[in-house]
Amino acid sequence: ALAARTKRQRLASGIVLQTLNKQTRGNTVVASINLRWASLGETTPLRGTDMVGELISEGSTTMGRQQLQDTLVHLNASLNVVSGNQEVTLTVRAERDTLLAAMKIGIDLLRHPAFPPEAFERIRTAHVASIEAGRKELSTLMNMATRDVVNKARGAKLGDPEYVASVDESLGDYRDTTLDDVKGFYNH
């Protein structure tokens, strides 16, 4: 049923666009853009990969955080930027008539991130606190109990894409990450 309602087209830029019209009466549109940075082997040794999205969400060189929030409220829209080792995903939720304006803001954030130093420190501190707080959680304990076996079975060593880091290694990575690391990854 979904496949029959999905429209696919290739844009001049080579991007494949898939749209799915809703069967409800609502006017909300959700659009997601997933951009790949590079291959896993290229990005694994770089620091700050998962902080890029959070920092992009803080504003651009053309629009500060407060102006961004005010504009999104005015448009009745929301943006979410999530990043990882290989990709960044921008999700925009807006009314049909404000989607284009909200998408333009999202593209501006992706192209011209401000990377404010105070936001970097706040985000890095939050990641460290979250890892510390989760140190004694059952899921963390289970992961740590199996990580040596998994790493050995995979033949993975620190720095390999398949390597499962310990809590202390993850903490050290966040503590050692600098804003320049994040900018370097973004510019990679």
Side-chain angles (χ1 to χ4, degrees):
L2 288 178
R5 293 182 10 230
T6 302
K7 295 179 187 173
R8 291 173 181 82
Q9 62 185 30
R10 182 173 297 277
L11 303 178
S13 64
I15 293 174
V16 176
L17 175 67
Q18 296 185 29
T19 58
L20 174 66
N21 287 330
K22 298 187 324 180
Q23 293 180 330
T24 63
R25 296 182 188 153
N27 197 27
T28 302
V29 179
V30 178
S32 290
I33 300 172
N34 189 351
L35 303 171
R36 304 245 182 237
W37 301 112
S39 71
L40 189 57
E42 289 178 273
T43 58
T44 297
L46 303 175
R47 289 194 167 133
T49 58
D50 57 343
M51 296 173 71
V52 170
E54 291 173 273
L55 281 165
I56 287 173
S57 299
E58 293 287 327
S60 71
T61 56
T62 62
M63 182 179 294
R65 183 178 184 194
Q66 189 60 53
Q67 184 184 2
L68 170 64
Q69 291 172 347
D70 293 346
T71 304
L72 290 174
V73 167
H74 176 73
L75 293 173
N76 194 23
S78 64
L79 293 174
N80 186 33
V81 184
V82 179
S83 64
N85 197 0
Q86 282 187 276
E87 63 195 15
V88 65
T89 302
L90 168 68
T91 304
V92 179
R93 180 180 299 269
E95 303 279 318
R96 188 177 300 269
D97 57 338
T98 63
L99 178 65
L100 185 57
M103 288 294 292
K104 285 181 180 179
I105 293 169
I107 303 243
D108 177 58
L109 290 173
L110 291 173
R111 286 186 173 162
H112 311 288
F115 293 126
E118 67 283 354
F120 168 76
E121 288 302 327
R122 179 176 31 85
I123 291 166
R124 181 173 67 164
T125 300
H127 278 274
V128 168
S130 175
I131 294 169
E132 285 285 6
R135 185 186 285 274
K136 299 296 181 194
E137 289 180 10
L138 181 59
S139 61
T140 302
L141 294 171
M142 289 174 24
N143 284 338
M144 291 306 98
T146 59
R147 71 175 278 283
D148 289 336
V149 173
V150 171
N151 285 337
K152 186 173 184 178
R154 292 177 176 170
K157 293 177 179 51
L158 183 62
D160 291 344
E162 301 86 20
Y163 182 77
V164 179
S166 70
V167 170
D168 290 331
E169 288 166 340
S170 295
L171 282 169
D173 191 47
Y174 276 110
R175 287 183 177 132
D176 293 344
T177 299
T178 66
L179 183 55
D180 286 339
D181 291 332
V182 176
K183 289 177 179 178
F185 172 71
Y186 173 81
N187 291 318
H188 177 67

